[in-house]
Amino acid sequence: MTRPPDPDHSRAVLVGTAEYTEDAALPGVPAVRNNVRDLHRLLTEGRPGAFAAEKVRTVLDPATPRDLGLPLLEAARQAEDVFLVYYSGHGLIGHERRELYLGLSKSVVDAPSFTAFPFQGIREAFLSSPARNKVLILDCCFSGRAISGNLSGVHEPLIDQMEIAGTYTLTSAAANEPARFQEGERHTAFTGELLLALRDGIPHPSSVEVTLGALFRHLKRVLPTRGMPEPQHCGTDTAELLILTRPRRRSQRGSSADAEGNRPSGIREELLARRDLGHRRGEEGHTGEAVQMLTEVLPGLTLTLGADAPATLVTRVNLAYWTGRHGGTEEALRLTTTAVEQMTRVLGPDHRFTVVGRSQLAQWTGESGRFAEARQLSTTVVSDLRRILGPDDRETLVGRAQLARWTGEAGDPAAAAHQTGELIPDLARVLGREDRETLTGRLNQAQWTGRAGVPRRAVQLLTGLVPDLSWVLGPDDPHTLVGRSRLAQWSGAAGRRRRARHMFAAAVPDLGRVLGPDDRETLLARSQLAHWTGETGEPTEAVRLLRLLVSDLAWVLGPDDRITVVSRARLAHWTAVQGDVSDAVQQFYAVIPDLSRILGAEASETVENRALLALWRKKADRRLKRQLFYGARDHGGRP
């Protein structure tokens, strides 16, 4: 029977060696850090997470066997249900018995038994663990030796040594085959496909969950078609039925068991306090915690107060809001739609909670890419907010800001800039000149002004705004960092290319440090940095930056996100500028249909890149005339 790990009694150790400092024969693999970080997120955060965050340990760039062995042994002894070990890095081969060693940052190829971690250490950790199931996932060269043993077959295969009850082993390559580390990709090939399957599921699976066995069969089918090594596996008992794609088990507090007895008299206050704490955690930036806490408290509120109680309905809207802020836009839209329908029925269409819920419904409609529909919804709800709550209510002002945003996103940035300009005096009068909403309005006005084709005016607005943001909110506030990034963007568009490049070079590390390397603003700034690097005369460096970025964008934002497709188009252009016109033309042909589908056939980016394709095709046809007419091989004769 399939089952997920018990999060309270399971442990995981995720190990990655990305840097090798002692031996030039062991090149660094930067993607390993992303392997470990993204696997940690998938195993612990929301769906599909199955492990408690505090029970998962990451070990990055261990230098000595002790640095890896002690954390491994400690977690092994603590695990009672599932013990998972993941390693990504270089695999080394012993000289005598040809056994497998896991590379460490101070490993030396010619001395693995002294400088690397022996596979025997994994076996000893597994033997010491009381866990019902032990799972080993290896993404390294020669990892198949964990299953098939050495090349000569003289010595005992390692999998025979690993056949401990309840053990499942999954490896990226065969015993004599190196793993593939593709430069410029966010993940290594094996782990990248594994993460996609864990995050997005397996196409047409027999079950919605991804068991270890189903995961192996998927990887075995997909990876060889991409020219990658065929993964190997071996399992004992029913370990391959483990599921790693379930959310963390909810707290027993507020469960159905509580409903069968008498509830404590203070349960209502406790539930409301937990709801408020969840909302506060979201406002502090911990959106995942907010979603988890509100998800846990909602059944208790429904049972205690009733499904139609205002406090329950507000909790539903709050849960939808933080779900969206955590990245689940479509789920936020679904939850908000249901909550607003219920609020309209129970509280009436003119209740404050109902119209505020409708405002959020417009927000998530826009966030899901339906800009024209969001603009229509916002237009109607702003009228009702004015009528019901008054023109100076904070929710009315926020609704007007949303209307301006969706007006711009629907294709009318000049109108959005005008609407925001009219809003700012009201924000300053009602909330104060230094209120966050007022400062945000000024930031939005500058952005829409730039997008309306007036970059010099946008630069003027931002030059006055950025110091205010820094002094009022602090230099590390997200609004301040975004303001700096927007100033760099429009400075470049206004002709100050070197200033744009230098400002983005300074902004990208700060955005990554404060918002995180995978935040949308950080990724957008990286794309802009690459673009202005090319514009200042360094196309080869622009190509390098964009190749590193595009893989991250596809993983974090998805292949159909605006930033992803625009960055792919930029990569094609700078590839051509640096001299590889043939490759660039092929990239243009691949990305232009996506630009047309995602942004629209008449969008400026689509039109500009069609013109660039025509330009580079003309040059390529002339430069590659002989190859095009006679084929890649030289057949002789006159051209």
Side-chain angles (χ1 to χ4, degrees):
M1 178 182 297
T2 61
R3 71 175 186 91
D6 178 346
D8 294 328
H9 299 93
S10 297
R11 299 290 188 277
V13 179
L14 313 180
V15 185
T17 307
E19 295 294 333
Y20 299 84
T21 61
E22 304 298 315
D23 194 334
L26 294 173
V29 189
V32 164
R33 292 194 181 92
N34 292 326
N35 286 355
V36 172
R37 184 178 67 193
D38 291 338
L39 180 58
H40 182 277
R41 288 178 179 172
L42 287 179
L43 292 177
T44 60
E45 293 185 8
R47 185 173 184 88
F51 286 78
E54 64 275 12
K55 307 297 175 62
V56 179
R57 183 162 184 176
T58 60
V59 182
L60 280 172
D61 293 325
T64 68
R66 174 190 177 92
D67 295 337
L68 171 53
L70 292 183
L72 185 70
L73 191 58
E74 179 183 9
R77 291 170 175 171
Q78 293 172 345
E80 298 175 10
D81 182 44
V82 174
F83 179 43
L84 169 67
V85 177
Y86 167 88
Y87 172 82
S88 181
H90 285 298
L92 308 178
I93 302 301
H95 295 303
E96 295 298 327
R97 296 177 58 86
R98 310 298 293 167
E99 65 269 41
L100 176 66
Y101 287 85
L102 307 183
L104 308 174
S105 64
K106 290 189 176 182
S107 290
V108 176
V109 170
D110 291 336
S113 59
F114 298 100
T115 62
F117 190 83
F119 182 82
Q120 179 66 17
I122 301 287
R123 179 176 183 272
E124 291 179 7
F126 275 25
L127 283 171
S128 71
S129 178
R132 292 171 56 193
N133 291 117
K134 296 94 171 175
V135 179
L136 173 63
I137 301 176
L138 294 179
D139 185 2
C140 63
C141 299
F142 317 114
S143 56
R145 289 170 187 267
I147 291 177
S148 62
N150 58 68
L151 295 175
S152 68
V154 174
H155 300 293
E156 178 186 14
L158 292 177
I159 194 59
D160 292 343
Q161 304 173 26
M162 285 298 294
E163 284 200 350
I164 305 163
T167 297
Y168 185 88
T169 305
L170 175 62
T171 71
S172 62
N176 59 345
E177 191 168 16
R180 303 290 174 85
F181 300 143
Q182 293 180 303
E183 185 176 355
E185 294 294 326
R186 179 180 179 87
H187 306 115
T188 58
F190 170 80
T191 296
E193 196 63 45
L194 179 145
L195 291 171
L196 282 173
L198 288 177
R199 187 186 70 176
D200 301 336
I202 297 173
H204 311 297
S206 57
S207 171
V208 293
E209 292 90 4
V210 179
T211 64
L212 288 172
L215 180 62
F216 165 72
R217 289 186 288 273
H218 170 71
L219 296 175
K220 183 180 177 68
R221 182 176 64 254
V222 170
L223 287 171
T225 65
R226 295 170 47 197
M228 302 301 170
E230 184 174 303
Q232 310 290 311
H233 84 141
C234 186
T236 63
D237 299 338
T238 59
E240 74 166 21
L241 299 179
L242 273 173
I243 297 168
L244 301 182
T245 53
R246 286 261 185 94
R248 193 187 312 179
R249 188 180 61 184
R250 293 181 181 176
S251 168
Q252 293 301 310
R253 291 159 57 184
S255 67
S256 58
D258 295 328
E260 297 175 1
N262 294 325
R263 290 185 168 270
S265 59
I267 188 66
R268 179 181 184 277
E269 288 72 20
E270 179 188 350
L271 290 168
L272 292 175
R274 287 165 57 197
R275 180 199 68 182
D276 294 342
L277 176 60
H279 188 68
R280 286 199 303 275
R281 292 300 287 163
E283 291 186 332
E284 292 167 357
H286 305 284
T287 55
E289 287 187 34
V291 171
Q292 182 181 342
M293 295 178 73
L294 293 172
T295 300
E296 291 176 353
V297 80
L298 185 58
L301 284 171
T302 304
L303 189 62
T304 303
L305 306 181
D308 292 343
T312 305
L313 297 174
V314 169
T315 304
R316 289 187 182 279
V317 173
N318 284 343
L319 173 59
Y321 177 75
W322 293 117
T323 297
R325 289 287 299 274
H326 193 55
T329 302
E330 293 297 332
E331 179 66 5
L333 180 59
R334 185 188 69 80
L335 291 171
T336 308
T337 301
T338 302
V340 168
E341 291 173 352
Q342 195 171 1
M343 285 176 166
T344 304
R345 174 178 58 80
V346 174
L347 304 177
D350 287 352
H351 194 281
R352 180 184 183 90
F353 292 166
T354 305
V355 289
V356 172
R358 287 171 53 205
S359 183
Q360 291 193 21
L361 179 60
Q363 175 184 354
W364 298 121
T365 300
E367 296 286 0
S368 67
R370 291 142 58 179
F371 302 136
E373 184 180 348
R375 182 183 186 181
Q376 284 185 316
L377 291 172
S378 292
T379 300
T380 303
V381 80
V382 164
S383 176
D384 290 340
L385 285 166
R386 289 180 185 270
R387 175 176 57 85
I388 297 166
L389 306 184
D392 288 349
D393 189 273
R394 189 183 190 97
E395 292 293 344
T396 304
L397 298 172
V398 171
R400 288 173 62 190
Q402 288 289 336
L403 173 58
R405 178 186 177 188
W406 302 127
T407 297
E409 294 290 2
D412 195 348
H418 178 72
Q419 290 172 359
T420 311
E422 290 185 329
L423 173 63
I424 289 171
D426 293 335
L427 289 169
R429 175 177 54 83
V430 176
L431 305 179
R433 290 183 56 82
E434 296 182 350
D435 185 85
R436 183 177 292 271
E437 292 293 345
T438 306
L439 295 170
T440 301
R442 293 172 61 191
L443 184 59
N444 290 337
Q445 181 192 21
Q447 180 67 0
W448 291 122
T449 299
R451 288 182 64 173
V454 195
R456 291 184 183 277
R457 176 56 180 160
V459 170
Q460 290 176 343
L461 292 170
L462 288 162
T463 300
L465 173 61
V466 168
D468 290 345
L469 290 169
S470 183
W471 286 116
V472 175
L473 303 181
D476 281 350
D477 186 88
H479 284 69
T480 306
L481 298 175
V482 170
R484 289 169 51 193
S485 185
R486 297 290 183 272
L487 179 56
Q489 174 187 357
W490 297 119
S491 293
R496 303 186 66 178
R497 300 175 180 179
R498 292 197 177 279
R499 185 190 189 199
R501 178 182 178 181
H502 293 151
M503 292 188 72
F504 274 118
V508 166
D510 290 340
L511 287 164
R513 173 175 54 83
V514 175
L515 302 182
D518 290 345
D519 186 85
R520 185 180 187 85
E521 288 293 341
T522 307
L523 295 168
L524 176 59
R526 287 175 59 192
S527 181
Q528 291 278 2
L529 173 59
H531 175 69
W532 295 114
T533 297
E535 289 287 351
T536 52
E538 297 189 33
T540 300
E541 177 64 7
V543 168
R544 187 187 71 83
L545 292 172
L546 284 165
R547 281 179 176 162
L548 291 170
L549 173 64
V550 165
S551 178
D552 287 344
L553 289 171
W555 167 258
V556 178
L557 302 181
D560 288 350
D561 188 88
R562 180 191 186 97
I563 300 176
T564 305
V565 291
V566 169
S567 295
R568 287 172 54 203
R570 286 175 173 169
L571 175 59
H573 172 65
W574 293 117
T575 298
V577 173
Q578 78 165 0
D580 196 347
V581 179
S582 177
D583 186 21
V585 168
Q586 292 175 342
Q587 290 185 46
F588 273 121
Y589 272 117
V591 74
I592 286 176
D594 292 336
L595 285 167
S596 182
R597 173 174 56 86
I598 296 164
L599 306 184
E602 302 307 317
S604 59
E605 290 89 349
T606 308
V607 174
E608 290 169 4
N609 280 283
R610 279 203 296 261
L612 285 171
L613 171 59
L615 170 68
W616 292 115
R617 257 294 306 271
K618 185 176 181 180
K619 293 185 178 183
D621 287 353
R622 184 168 60 248
R623 185 180 303 178
L624 303 174
K625 180 178 179 180
R626 183 180 186 86
Q627 178 180 322
L628 291 169
F629 284 100
Y630 295 97
R633 296 179 59 190
D634 186 2
H635 296 284
R638 296 177 62 185

